[in-house]
Structure formats: C-alpha cells, structure tokens
Amino acid sequence: MYEFTFFTGNHQQFMNNLSKQGYLNLVRTIRDPLYGPIHLTEQELLIVDHPLFRRLHNVRQNGLLYYIFPSATHTRFEHSLGVVQSATYILEALFHNCLVSSNKPTTAIKESKCKNNKAYNLKLLNDKEVCTLFRILRLTALIHDIGHGPLSHTFDSFAPLRSNIVDILKSEPVLKPLQPFINHIAGQDKNRIEHEEMSCIIFTKIWNDIEGDNIIPQVISSILLDYVPNCIPEQYIRFIPLLRDIIASAPVDADRMDYIERDSLSFGVSYGIYDRPRLLKSFLVYCEETDYDSFHFRLGIKKSGIRAVENFIQARFELFVQVYYHKTNQALEQMLQEVAKIASEESIDIFKEKSLSLILTTYLKLTDKHFVDLLSGEDNKIQNASINEIGKEILNRKLWKRIFDADNEELVDKVYSHINGNEEYRLKKVQIDPKATKDLDKGAKILFRDKDGVYTVSESNWLDHSPMMEALSTEENKIHRIYLKSSDKELAKDLRIKIRNYEHQIRK
C-alpha cells in the first residue's frame, strides 16, 4: 500500500521528494515562461535531445497565426514540455485530492477495491504502480505531438499514405513493437496516416535509439491510439484509459490546459485565463467496469468543480472565437483547406520514399517555411498549378477577403445565392467547425456524492448540468461567413456594398 508521505500540495516539494525517493530521477531543469522550472528525468532528456524531437523547434504551435498575431511564434517543442508539466500537476492533484477526500468526516472515498462508477482511493496503489503511473504519463505527454507536421492539421492531407506506412510497419525491424497495432492502423478509413499514429512511429524509433525494449512504445501507443492489443502486460491495462483521459480528453485535459494558457500568453490576450488551482482541486479517479468483468481507472471531476470547468470552457470558447476564428486567420484556413482538398483529389504525395529512414529524413526537413515553399512550387515536389498559386498567395500574404458574416444561416444562404449569380465572382460559404465545445461527452465524467457520501459517476452529461456550456455550444454553431477567393480589396469593397444594399432590402 502506498504511503502519502510527500503529497503536500506544494509542487516543488513534491517533485523533490519524488526524486529523492527514486520515482523520478530529475537531472535537468528547463525554464518555461508559463510554469517556471520544468524538471526532466535523464530518460526524458534523452528524448528531448533526439533530432526527431528537436525538429519541433521548427513547427509553430499555431501555424501561420503569426500573420495576424505577430507574437504567436511559440512552437510544439515548448507546448510538449508544457504538457509534461500540466499532466504532472493533474496526477499530483489526483493523489492529493484522494488524500483529502478519504479523510473527510463523511468518507467520500471508501477504503476498498474497485467498484463500478465509484471513486477509487489511490492509497491502495503500491510503490511500483505509482512509479509506473508517473513515468508513463510524463513520457506520453512529452511525445503526444511529435508526429505533427507543419501548419497543424493542414499537413494531414500531405502525410504519408497509410498503405505505405502499413508496409513499413510489417517490414521494419525498428518498428517491431508496433506490429500488434498493424491491423488497427490498417483498418482506419483515412487514406493518410494521422499525426497520433505518426507520433507512435517516431517515438518507437527514438526509444529504439535510447533504450530498446518493446513494452514502453506499446503502452504509449495504446494510450495515443485508444486501442489495447493483447500484448500489453496486465499491470498497465487498468491505467491506460486514465492516462488517456489526463493527456487528451474533454472537457479538460493536460493538452488543452497547456495550450490555452500558453497561446493566450503568446498572443498577448486575456481570453484564455482560467482558474487552474480550482480546476485541479476538482479531479478524482473512479473505476469503470470493462467487458471482461474487471475494472480500469478513469478521470472524474467533482460536481463542486462544475463552475471551474465552466470557467475553463468559457476561456477556451473566447480564445477560439476571438483568435482562432479571427476572420483573417480563417481566410488562411480556407486557403489551406482548398490546398488540402486539391491534394486529396489529385493524390499528391511528397513522401515518395518507401523506407522509414527516408520518411523520417523528410520530416526532419519539414519546417513551416519549407512546407509553404513546397506549396509555392519550390523543389518541384508539388507540381500543381492551383496549389502553387495559393501557396504563393499565402507566402506573399495575399489572402482571401471576408465579405459577409452573420449568425443566421438562412440569411447567409440568401446573400450567397444573390451574389453568386454573377459567375465572375469566386465565393466560398463557410460555417465554422465548432471546436471549443466539442467532445464534452467523451472524457471526464461528473462525480457526485451518493446517499452514502461516496463520490459516484453521474448519469447526466455536462450540458445537462451546465446551461452555460449548452449556450456556448449553440453560439459556436452560429458563425457563418462568405469569403471572396481573391485578395482584391476593391472588389471585396464593392461586394460588401452590394451585400449591405441587398440585406437592407430583404430585412424591410
């Protein structure tokens, strides 16, 4: 049984005690503008120093958003380190909150084995399990974005072909740990490999270079891909869903917590501010029954923390609406989506190489700037006139113009039909894909005190408990725009005048 001898609520003291007792051999401190000192183990440092991780220095967290917010130049390297710290905060809080809850006069967590949908007392874990939790969580947090290409999800349409990656997984000895995942990866319906899958491949290569065993890449791949093959040792299985919830789930996770604060700090705005200490105070672990009559652990949030979650979702909503959905940033997004659509239709492949080493060499070269240069026609890797034209427009900041927006889809449809009657105009009608409030039903569950005073999973979802979240979700679906597929300012001005006149007529 694990003794709570150093979960004091003081993070610095907590990290020092972890190191002293041999759970985390901390050897390096990196200064971060958001968290201050971030401590890394020797193993984590070997990963950070690997060229395949250092490439993240050249991949901006928000792609071309610096075109609009000049200070938005922070990278996925910084974010990856930040998620290590954020995830550590969450796991530390889970232990501390368990200690507090189990000591309440009316015991909120029973000293017993797993019970379905009941909060679990982490004091029942042994030392080895605690060490495993922290080690796997931090490694997963560190490499969760390592498979990202430049310009965020725009690159997805240019990623290596899934069929080629499956062939490499079957034949490449370095990737032997991932062979149990081949059928799962091959069975996905997307033609291109996704960044989570690429993260598993790149990490397996790094791990082979620094350690060599199979288990750690397999466990981390199970977390990132949300798929647990039979080869995973039993001692890891019950922790995998919890670790996935902590790293990347809704409504709150380490990934979101870091990028909301980090982006807000970098942009110079206050939209992404939330009450991190109150949020951390709300986390607990609960047991969820599996199909095999056993249990695994999941992340829960106490009902008393709903207001803190609302604060977090509102901060996220405001950041999306005011920054990520900014009309000019969305012009860039629409241009890049057009590029992605053409690339998909034309089956353009910049990874003509069929070996792991050559594909990874290409990834090492793929900075944001290099990728935009490729879109513009440099190196002749992308020989498509339409893509090259858009690439040059992006490179020279000749962006499409927004000519109309409204929260009424019917009105936008009428305006679009009226203006688009003239074939000389190239217009695009856009409804923002809501992201700030998505997936609220896929992650952490609400925990309430049952008749015995024990924290238990609520059958209701977040929107049932929070009219505010429901309202934000509704509002996010109301953003409709029309873009002119041109940087012609005069034409855009004329169209806006025509639209105003037409809008005035139909509103009479």
Side-chain angles (χ1 to χ4, degrees):
M1 183 177 292
Y2 186 69
E3 294 298 329
F4 287 84
T5 56
F6 54 79
F7 289 96
T8 63
N10 182 303
H11 176 72
Q12 187 63 55
Q13 183 179 346
F14 161 76
M15 295 300 293
N16 290 339
N17 285 330
L18 274 180
S19 184
K20 286 178 184 177
Q21 298 202 22
Y23 294 107
L24 295 173
N25 183 25
L26 303 169
V27 298
R28 177 72 62 85
T29 299
I30 297 177
R31 197 77 186 177
D32 181 74
L34 187 59
Y35 303 111
I38 294 179
H39 307 283
L40 296 178
T41 68
E42 185 173 0
Q43 201 172 62
E44 292 161 358
L45 188 60
L46 288 172
I47 295 171
V48 169
D49 283 341
H50 196 283
L52 287 170
F53 189 92
R54 291 204 309 270
R55 63 174 281 270
L56 297 181
H57 273 306
N58 298 312
V59 180
R60 290 187 180 89
Q61 177 70 16
N62 292 285
L64 298 174
L65 190 61
Y66 72 95
Y67 274 26
I68 299 96
F69 295 86
S71 59
T73 56
H74 58 297
T75 66
R76 291 199 179 273
F77 185 95
E78 299 160 60
H79 168 64
S80 297
L81 293 176
V83 176
V84 172
Q85 188 76 343
S86 183
T88 302
Y89 281 151
I90 293 175
L91 188 52
E92 174 190 352
L94 287 172
F95 278 95
H96 184 71
N97 297 343
C98 179
L99 175 64
V100 172
S101 295
S102 62
N103 287 337
K104 287 184 176 180
T106 54
T107 306
I109 301 179
K110 296 293 186 183
E111 300 288 345
S112 62
K113 294 182 179 180
C114 289
K115 291 185 178 179
N116 193 28
N117 291 334
K118 302 288 186 181
Y120 179 78
N121 193 344
L122 293 175
K123 189 176 180 180
L124 298 174
L125 299 182
N126 60 44
D127 291 357
K128 185 176 180 180
E129 288 173 320
V130 173
C131 178
T132 297
L133 265 177
F134 276 99
R135 183 184 180 216
I136 298 298
L137 176 71
R138 287 170 60 92
L139 287 174
T140 308
L142 185 63
I143 63 93
H144 80 287
D145 267 357
I146 201 171
H148 260 296
L151 304 191
S152 193
H153 293 287
T154 301
F155 180 75
D156 292 350
S157 294
F158 293 88
L161 292 169
R162 183 172 299 276
S163 57
N164 290 345
I165 291 297
V166 169
D167 289 342
I168 289 171
L169 287 170
K170 292 177 179 178
S171 61
E172 179 60 60
V174 170
L175 300 182
K176 183 179 178 181
L178 297 183
Q179 288 187 356
F181 297 86
I182 289 176
N183 290 338
H184 174 76
I185 292 173
Q188 302 305 305
D189 58 5
K190 292 190 176 180
N191 189 38
R192 307 275 178 166
I193 204 75
E194 296 191 279
H195 80 269
E196 294 92 348
E197 296 162 324
M198 203 64 209
S199 291
C200 297
I201 290 168
I202 293 176
F203 173 65
T204 301
K205 172 63 171 72
I206 293 175
W207 193 256
N208 181 77
D209 292 346
I210 66 174
E211 291 287 344
D213 71 273
N214 290 353
I215 298 301
I216 297 301
Q218 290 175 341
V219 173
I220 290 178
S221 296
S222 296
I223 297 168
L224 293 181
L225 301 182
D226 197 17
Y227 172 75
V228 183
N230 294 332
C231 64
I232 304 299
E234 186 176 350
Q235 67 264 31
Y236 294 102
I237 290 177
R238 63 176 176 164
F239 295 123
I240 287 173
L242 171 64
L243 297 179
R244 180 170 178 79
D245 285 345
I246 293 174
I247 297 294
S249 67
V252 182
D253 58 45
D255 179 49
R256 287 173 169 89
M257 288 177 71
D258 180 77
Y259 81 67
I260 286 176
E261 279 195 276
R262 189 172 301 279
D263 288 3
S264 179
L265 177 67
S266 178
F267 301 157
V269 301
S270 59
Y271 305 121
I273 304 303
Y274 63 91
D275 190 349
R276 190 200 312 162
R278 182 63 185 87
L279 202 55
L280 291 172
K281 186 180 177 181
S282 306
F283 293 135
L284 281 176
V285 172
Y286 72 91
C287 296
E288 183 176 71
E289 192 171 6
T290 70
D291 296 334
Y292 307 101
D293 198 28
S294 60
F295 292 88
H296 55 217
F297 299 134
R298 298 295 303 269
L299 182 65
I301 300 178
K302 293 183 283 186
K303 187 178 179 181
S304 60
I306 284 181
R307 298 296 170 256
V309 176
E310 287 180 335
N311 170 236
F312 180 81
I313 296 297
Q314 184 168 2
R316 180 173 157 84
F317 173 83
E318 290 174 350
L319 197 60
F320 270 85
V321 171
Q322 299 291 344
V323 178
Y324 308 132
Y325 299 160
H326 186 284
K327 61 182 177 62
T328 309
N329 189 51
Q330 282 301 304
L332 276 165
E333 288 289 322
Q334 296 308 316
M335 295 173 77
L336 290 170
Q337 284 184 26
E338 189 88 353
V339 164
K341 179 183 176 184
I342 297 169
S344 179
E345 291 173 349
E346 300 293 330
S347 299
I348 291 174
D349 189 6
I350 63 173
F351 290 94
K352 302 185 187 304
E353 304 87 354
K354 299 300 186 289
S355 72
L356 176 66
S357 61
L358 291 175
I359 285 177
L360 295 182
T361 298
T362 300
Y363 264 89
L364 285 171
K365 296 176 182 176
L366 279 171
T367 65
D368 290 326
K369 183 181 184 309
H370 180 58
F371 185 53
V372 174
D373 287 342
L374 289 180
L375 296 181
S376 303
E378 285 199 7
D379 294 345
N380 294 319
K381 273 198 170 185
I382 301 178
Q383 297 181 5
N384 181 285
S386 298
I387 289 179
N388 296 158
E389 180 183 356
I390 296 175
K392 288 174 183 176
E393 288 174 343
I394 291 173
L395 192 61
N396 295 312
R397 208 182 183 282
K398 293 183 177 181
L399 309 181
W400 294 353
K401 298 297 181 184
R402 180 209 58 177
I403 58 173
F404 184 67
D405 61 20
D407 60 4
N408 185 316
E409 185 176 9
E410 184 179 353
L411 175 59
V412 172
D413 288 342
K414 287 181 178 180
V415 169
Y416 180 82
S417 297
H418 176 73
I419 299 298
N420 208 38
N422 189 330
E423 294 182 359
E424 69 179 87
Y425 304 137
R426 295 188 304 130
L427 305 180
K428 184 172 184 180
K429 184 171 56 174
V430 174
Q431 178 179 3
I432 297 298
D433 179 23
K435 296 176 181 176
T437 56
K438 73 173 184 176
D439 296 338
L440 290 180
D441 59 339
K442 293 185 178 179
K445 300 293 186 182
I446 301 169
L447 303 177
F448 71 100
R449 300 283 290 272
D450 65 13
K451 64 180 181 179
D452 297 323
V454 177
Y455 282 113
T456 305
V457 172
S458 171
E459 294 181 2
S460 304
N461 61 36
W462 288 98
L463 297 185
D464 291 334
H465 281 277
S466 175
M468 192 195 83
M469 289 190 208
E470 186 173 16
L472 293 178
S473 178
T474 300
E475 284 300 309
E476 197 178 10
N477 280 285
K478 289 182 179 180
I479 305 175
H480 302 271
R481 290 176 177 150
I482 300 175
Y483 280 90
L484 172 66
K485 294 183 177 182
S486 168
S487 60
D488 189 328
K489 293 181 180 179
E490 291 303 316
L491 178 57
K493 181 179 178 181
D494 290 342
L495 288 175
R496 291 187 190 111
I497 293 172
K498 290 180 180 179
I499 290 172
R500 279 199 299 271
N501 291 335
Y502 175 70
E503 187 181 7
H504 180 71
Q505 291 174 19
I506 63 177
R507 286 183 184 274
K508 282 185 177 180

